[in-house]
Amino acid sequence: MLCSKKKSLEVERIVKANDREYNEKYQYTDNRIHTCKYNILTFLPINLFEQFQRVANVYFLFLLILQLIPEISSLTWFTTIVPLVLVVTMTAVKDATDDYFRHKSDNQVNNRQSEVLIDSKLQNEKWMNVKVGDIIKLENNQFVAADLLLLSSSEPHGLCYIETAELDGETNLKVRHALSVTSGLGADTSRLAKFDGIVVCEAPNNKLDKFTGVLSWKGSEHSLNNEKIILRGCVLRNTSWCFGMVIFAGPDTKLMQNSGKTKFKRTSIDRLMNTLVLWIFGFLICLGIILAIGNSIWENQVGDQFRTFLFWNEGEKNSVFSGFLTFWSYIIILNTVVPISLYVSVEVIRLGHSYFINWDRKMYYSGKATPAQARTTTLNEELGQIEYVFSDKTGTLTENIMTFKKCSINGRIYGEVHDVLGQKTDMTKKKEAVGFSVNPEADRTFQFFDHHLMESIKMGDPKVHEFLRLLALCHTVMSEENSAGELIYQVQSPDEGALVTAAKNLGFIFKSRTPETITIEELGTLVTYQLLAFLDFNNFRKRMSVIVRNPEGQIKLYSKGADTILFERLHPSNEDLLTLTSDHLSEFAGEGLRTLAIAYRDLDDKYFKEWHKMLEDANAAVDKRDERIAGLYEEIERDLMLLGATAVEDKLQEGVIETITSLSLANIKIWVLTGDKQETAINIGYACNMLTDDMNDVFIIAGNTAVEVREELRKAKENLFGQNRSFSNGHVVFEKKQPLELDSVVEETVTGDYALIINGHSLTVYDQWFITLFNIVYTSLPVLAMGIFDQDVNDQNSMDCPQLYKPGQLNLLFNKHKFFICVAHGIYTSLALFFIPYGAFYNVAGEDGQHIADYQSFAVTMATSLVIVVSVQIALDTSYWTIINHVFVWGSIATYFSILFTMHSNGLFGIFPRQFPFVGNARHSLTQKCIWLVILLTTVASVMPVVAFRFLKVDLFPTLSDQIRQWQKAQKKARPLRSRKPQTRRSSSRRSGYAFAHQEGYGELITSGKNMRAKNPPPTSGLEKTLYNSTSWIENLCKKTTDTVSSFSQDKTVKL
Amino acid sequence: MKRKSQDCPSRLPDNSAVKQQQLPAYRLQLSANKILSGFFATGVFCLGVGVILLLSAKTIKEVEINYTEKCANCAKLRENAANFDKECNCSIPFVLPETMKGNVYMYYKLYGFYQNLYRYILSRSNSQLVGTDVKDVRNCAPFKTSHNGIPIAPCGAIANSMFNDTIILSYNLNSSIHIKVPMIRSGITWWTDKYVKFQNPSFQNLSSAFAGTTKPPNWPKPAYELDEEDPGNNGFINDDFIVWMRTAAFPTFKKLYRRLHRIEHFTEGLPAGSYSFNITYNFPVNRFQGEKAVVLSTLTWSGGSSLFLGLAYMVTGAVTWLAFFSMLAVHLRLRERKMFFLQQ
């Protein structure tokens, strides 16, 4: 960290492979990371410096300095230094613990092993010793140690697959590929050791999706982009090994650049507290001024004559000067008005809450053995005030698992389970799944509940067979046999995976493919189809087709795609079927399923040959090649015969619908960020109940730039208000611009209200020790106990009643209004606390005739009253009495008395006569009946109005939480057996359920055969071979992939 | 499966009551009935205590005689500090219409004397007064030392301004026989003050214990000569001195001066009749426009209570009852409405 600060700004990075000496002169950081802030030596100065940047601590320090001036000092120094030292020590201990854990995790990461090529040999080296320019070897499922330039890999053409979950939260695999010049290096360490390419590239930055650079090697230059870079934090998948050259290490890596400085997050309570503390401070100054003026007047009128007894120095005779000194004295005396301990209390309460979050078994996810983790303690109470939840889609809302759920074949729905009465029922686990035991290839995880489909297959229904055949033929899936001989599908889109797997389980098994053939097993017999053309998918066509010749010699076009598109290109004879199928599709869409329409066309030889000729010409054409091809595709994909439709479920995470319903009830708006297509986004919106059919206007906002989006949003808003529709429950599906790290909060947490009791009463009459200890010992623990342990409503009810959440959102629980009520209450209490003893002691003698109206007895009486009043107040505010609350409330009263008697004891006075002048006071005062009567009256007078006020408030304006508490009480005897059932929502809808997560370019990849292993050598002859200029397939694929990605990123679509 | 659960046993949070926030707890449910009955009971209690306090305060007999004006010439004399050595006596006759039964206490009372003044309170040396270091005058400004630098004992503003009038009560049986009412000057201080907080320096001879110090400027005599009659009542442990040193909380205060010694004529208390106070007027009050008085008073179970506490209890009780009735009214009306809602 220090190093990077010292270094002048890096403009360009030049790295030479395998040459540490060369790279040394640029002083690049090594791969060691430092997320810790201090070491043993720097801890004290840095931490103290940080702490004294806080207003509260500076204030204390200021007070301490004031108290060192004898003319002003009204309290001895320990009244200030004790709390200050306590606060600073506690914070320091917390910081030190935090940093210790950072040190530990740094060490753990820095000491991970990786294989580095040193002296032409692979050697194990700790991560922290890896230097820029080193070549390291990664193995499957390993974490990437630094930002690497991919040189070669075990896969053909230097491909490798990475998972970037740590970086952007996406769990799907991404492809990276090496430059063809370096991929030839393979795993040959001697050649890799001789690799001496120089990379000139951008300076370290935090952009995860961009990289620009040039590799110069063997006299030629190769440009580098993000496709050739593997970032630290990724995990290598499906690739047995790869080699890479370190470009950025340690703190320079994109991961670390992103996680650099954590911005200190302030909660609204923090902000409010700061404002309030400022106000209180202003109040204190006003009070000081008023009291100082009062002092001047008194000095002038009375004190002047009273000088007989106090021969003040000449300077102090001036009443104005006296007032000035008094001002500072009062600032010191009244310092407890400024609730500095509040900051500490809030901190402790937050810490307690984060432990409760971590300990909560109800937030434990057994699937991954992960308990909830509160990563920051500063934001806990904000959980009760969330207004917007920004959620990622894949992995958060959905499991990214697609399952084939239903289908409609030739006007008949399969996959719906009917009960005895013929009513549609939900598919439940109790129903017996269709047994596929006859089929040795069946995937055990696949479940389909409709036996009718199996029967239809066995009966030999030609349409059903054609449907399944289409699913087995029209896709871009690659098959592979693993060592155990099992068939493994490599899928580009999970939708296709689901469809092909479904076909496989239903007896139409896709076995293998070559660039020009597809072999499938149809109910036990192997059939090889000749692949004549592949009409690839793209976002505008929204469909894909294959043209195959079956063994009988017939040429067929099989097509699947969006219903809206395919229905337009059907043969007119399909009209009846179309109506039926589109009804089915609407039903599927209503259930939130992703649908694709399925159709075929019989082609005659002559027509196909003509068409094929034109396609060849178009491919060879230089200008308007793409348009011409698209036109030809359009031409042949018409007069289709509808087969039916498929419905695939994008499996939602468990409990998503319930959670979203709860969140909506709690008035939390949800924004989903997704890189999906508009259709998919809408579909998932319906699937998880965010969008419902009664929202008849879904606003689609599409714009390519931030400005456009803003404009569109504004229009949509106008539209909404113009039509006078409710805007309250609008969820937004927002297509994401760039990956954001999201901390998803799936469950609500019950956050206790923070009762912040401001004790605005303190008078000079108190014992100095009392002032010192009051906030810290006597009253803080019960407040803390309440803040941590209080539950106003039990967990079951708070889950059942998400509306409880609203007051927190609206900041009703702690706001300025409440604060002023608190202040008024404080002023009232302090008046009662002063004037009742004052009146009672005026001109009164004790039981033994001695006077009890001395100032020390008065102080003890008031202090005792105060502690009791505050304790009673807290007891009343605590609605949930656990043993800990009891211990703290009673304990703090007991502590008060024991400390009181200790400080007023003979023993302490004997040792320190000057510090403990209250000797014997507690003993004498607290044995007087009338003093207890005074304390009792003070307590009654201070507490009763509060109780009455609350009673009337609950009666007249009950809050929801009050009502639930009442209900809870009423239900106590008869324990309710109400368990919330997930609301099932079945409605038909007139919208398309089309969604297909597929990317363009894979068709080309297949027909070129380049992604097929050498053991399946592409045939030397074939129609397609001549069609495509296959050398550039990777570039094409990459270009198209990036194109689509960037078009998504610009095509931000917002639906309200 | 077994092994898996052994692998990560620590990840599942403990199912302890504390961690799961399932501690057995009492839910404080302040139902309307509880609150209303609480208010009612509190009102009854406060009114009861108030009545008892008022009744017992009525039984107290108290006589207060303000002698600031009555001894006008003495007051005038004391206005000039130069006349400190001139003695001035003053006699104030008065009639006690009723017998004061039981223990009778004599107080002096000062008006407008700010014993609670912040600097005044601090101007004392506890370590000197406890006898450990008779020359320790650290906090005593502005009465630390005399002009020639000798430490003052007892030092400080409180000690220096000690009340030093002598008050003698005489019972006039008839016009010729004046009996001096027997008074006890001990037992007027707190035990801890007399035996813990205030101690003379340990010397056989008290005057030598005070060697090297000087008397406070306002005092006519040094501390070891405060009580000429009782040698054990001298120095820092002098009862009057200790009483004075326990500073009052308010500018108007009374301090215990003497207790009636219930012997001979006075076994029942102070009989009705005519009395006179013979006052040696030393303490100047005109200079700060204060007043002084002498008070004779009896006590009751709660001490010499004034009417305030009783009245305050009455008022609180009354207000609580008022609150009770209005809350009851509101509650009953709202309950009807609530029933209506529930039925809907």
Side-chain angles (χ1 to χ4, degrees), chain A residues 71 73-75 298 301-302 305-306 308-312 316 325 356-362 364 367-371 764 768 788-789 791-795 834-858 875-876 878-884 886 906 909 913-914 917-921 923-925 929-930 932-934 936-937 940-941 944-945 947-948 951-952 955-956 965-966 968-969 972, chain B residues 8 11-15 18-32 35-36 38-39 42 45-46 49 53 62 64 105 107 109 112-115 117-121 123 126-127 130 132 136 138-139 141-143 157 160-161 187-193 196-197 218 243 246-250 252 254-256 259 283-284 287-289 299-306 308-309 312-313 316 320 323 326-328 330-331 334 337-338:
Chain A
E71 277 75 30
S73 172
S74 43
L75 295 173
W298 187 88
Q301 310 265 313
V302 186
Q305 295 146 359
F306 201 63
T308 333
F309 303 99
L310 294 162
F311 296 107
W312 294 134
E316 286 160 351
L325 291 181
F356 277 135
I357 291 173
N358 293 351
W359 286 336
D360 201 327
R361 282 168 87 95
K362 286 178 187 153
Y364 176 76
K368 280 188 178 169
T370 347
T764 14
Q768 301 197 332
I788 294 174
F789 296 103
Q791 302 180 2
D792 56 350
V793 177
N794 72 27
D795 54 347
F834 181 80
F835 283 102
I836 291 176
Y838 177 84
F841 278 9
Y842 196 82
N843 204 17
V844 163
E847 282 164 48
D848 46 5
Q850 294 161 10
H851 80 133
I852 52 170
D854 67 297
Y855 122 90
Q856 291 188 335
S857 303
F858 189 64
L876 280 176
T878 309
S879 60
Y880 192 75
W881 282 84
T882 64
I883 182 81
I884 294 166
H886 279 288
N906 304 347
F909 177 77
R914 288 154 56 78
F918 275 63
V919 57
N921 222 299
R923 201 182 321 173
H924 279 99
S925 304
K929 290 181 206 79
C930 82
W932 283 106
L933 284 175
V934 168
L936 188 66
L937 182 65
V940 169
M944 279 310 193
V947 177
F951 176 84
L952 290 177
D955 241 21
L956 293 171
R965 239 176 288 174
Q966 290 238 323
Q968 217 163 271
K969 208 179 128 207
K972 225 177 191 173
Chain B
C8 40
R11 311 250 1 219
L12 181 68
D14 295 344
N15 194 10
V18 178
K19 291 189 175 180
Q20 298 310 315
Q21 305 186 54
Q22 300 286 344
L23 279 177
Y26 171 71
R27 220 167 249 289
L28 188 71
Q29 298 276 1
L30 289 180
S31 66
I35 291 178
L36 287 173
F39 264 75
T42 312
F45 172 79
C46 286
V49 172
L53 280 173
E62 198 180 79
E64 180 180 331
Y105 298 83
Y107 302 87
K109 187 169 179 181
F113 191 98
Y114 288 85
Q115 241 196 340
L117 197 66
Y118 175 67
R119 275 152 205 264
Y120 181 86
I121 285 180
S123 183
N126 282 328
S127 52
V130 82
T132 46
D136 181 1
R138 247 179 298 175
N139 293 338
F143 297 100
N160 184 47
S161 60
I188 57 173
T189 56
W190 288 7
W191 186 89
T192 42
D193 284 357
V196 181
K197 206 174 175 182
N218 280 13
V243 168
R246 183 153 283 281
T247 48
F250 313 118
T252 298
K254 63 180 186 188
K255 282 177 185 272
L256 188 54
R259 297 186 295 147
F283 194 74
R287 281 186 228 163
F288 58 91
Q289 291 176 335
L299 289 183
T300 173
W301 61 274
S302 61
S305 56
S306 65
F308 176 85
L309 200 57
Y313 263 102
T316 310
T320 311
S326 41
M327 281 157 66
L328 189 67
V330 168
H331 186 67
L334 280 172
R337 217 167 73 188
K338 236 183 253 169

Side-chain angles (χ1 to χ4, degrees), chain B residues 71-121:
Chain B
C71 305
N73 47 347
C74 286
K76 194 133 199 165
L77 185 78
R78 291 291 167 233
E79 264 179 46
N80 186 350
N83 299 326
F84 70 93
D85 51 348
K86 288 179 188 155
E87 203 177 282
C88 182
N89 286 309
C90 173
S91 179
I92 304 154
F94 70 99
V95 176
L96 202 63
E98 281 178 89
T99 310
M100 292 175 90
K101 278 189 184 156
N103 288 330
V104 178
Y105 298 83
M106 185 156 83
Y107 302 87
Y108 59 88
K109 187 169 179 181
L110 294 178
Y111 290 88
F113 191 98
Y114 288 85
Q115 241 196 340
N116 57 358
L117 197 66
Y118 175 67
R119 275 152 205 264
Y120 181 86
I121 285 180

Side-chain angles (χ1 to χ4, degrees), chain A residues 439-620:
Chain A
N439 183 352
E441 298 280 0
D443 194 333
R444 279 196 203 98
T445 54
F446 181 81
Q447 283 191 313
F448 199 73
F449 296 92
D450 196 347
H451 294 265
H452 296 103
L453 184 57
M454 254 348 230
E455 281 160 24
S456 300
I457 296 168
K458 282 176 192 157
M459 300 273 285
D461 185 333
K463 291 278 185 187
V464 174
H465 281 202
E466 195 72 352
F467 182 90
L468 293 171
R469 189 174 295 127
L470 189 150
L471 293 187
L473 287 172
C474 177
H475 55 77
T476 60
V477 175
M478 301 293 299
S479 69
E480 204 181 322
E481 268 184 30
N482 69 3
S483 49
E486 287 166 13
L487 206 55
I488 307 282
Y489 290 147
Q490 284 190 351
V491 297
Q492 272 72 46
S493 78
D495 290 277
E496 281 199 327
L499 296 177
V500 176
T501 311
K504 168 179 153 190
N505 283 286
L506 294 167
F508 284 75
I509 306 160
F510 164 64
K511 281 292 210 187
S512 63
R513 68 158 85 239
T514 66
E516 52 188 26
T517 60
I518 300 172
T519 308
I520 62 171
E521 188 186 315
E522 291 180 8
L523 298 170
T525 41
L526 275 177
V527 186
T528 304
Y529 290 84
Q530 209 181 347
L531 178 61
L532 300 177
F534 200 108
L535 283 55
D536 202 3
F537 174 88
N538 72 31
N539 282 331
F540 306 102
R541 285 162 43 76
K542 293 184 181 171
R543 62 187 185 269
M544 73 158 67
S545 307
V546 288
I547 301 173
V548 293
R549 190 198 298 273
N550 66 12
E552 289 85 54
Q554 293 167 310
I555 298 178
K556 292 209 171 202
L557 180 141
Y558 290 118
S559 187
K560 68 178 180 194
D563 47 358
T564 46
I565 304 282
L566 278 192
F567 285 179
E568 285 169 12
R569 1 197 92 253
L570 292 181
H571 193 268
S573 65
N574 284 298
E575 206 163 302
D576 291 346
L577 184 56
L578 193 151
T579 336
L580 212 53
T581 308
S582 67
D583 280 349
H584 293 165
L585 278 170
S586 303
E587 197 176 309
F588 296 155
E591 290 164 31
L593 300 173
R594 299 156 71 99
T595 57
L596 286 175
I598 303 288
Y600 76 99
R601 183 184 178 194
D602 290 314
L603 299 172
D604 66 64
D605 252 356
K606 203 178 139 222
Y607 174 68
F608 175 71
K609 274 194 179 127
E610 277 170 27
W611 179 82
H612 197 244
K613 181 85 183 53
M614 286 191 277
L615 187 63
E616 273 180 5
D617 290 348
N619 262 312

Side-chain angles (χ1 to χ4, degrees), chain A residues 12 15 169 261 264 306 356 381 534 544 568-569 680 831 848 1040:
Chain A
E12 191 178 56
V15 187
K261 295 110 216 158
F264 180 68
F306 201 63
F356 277 135
E381 79 274 4
F534 200 108
M544 73 158 67
E568 285 169 12
R569 1 197 92 253
T680 321
L831 290 180
D848 46 5
K1040 286 194 171 149

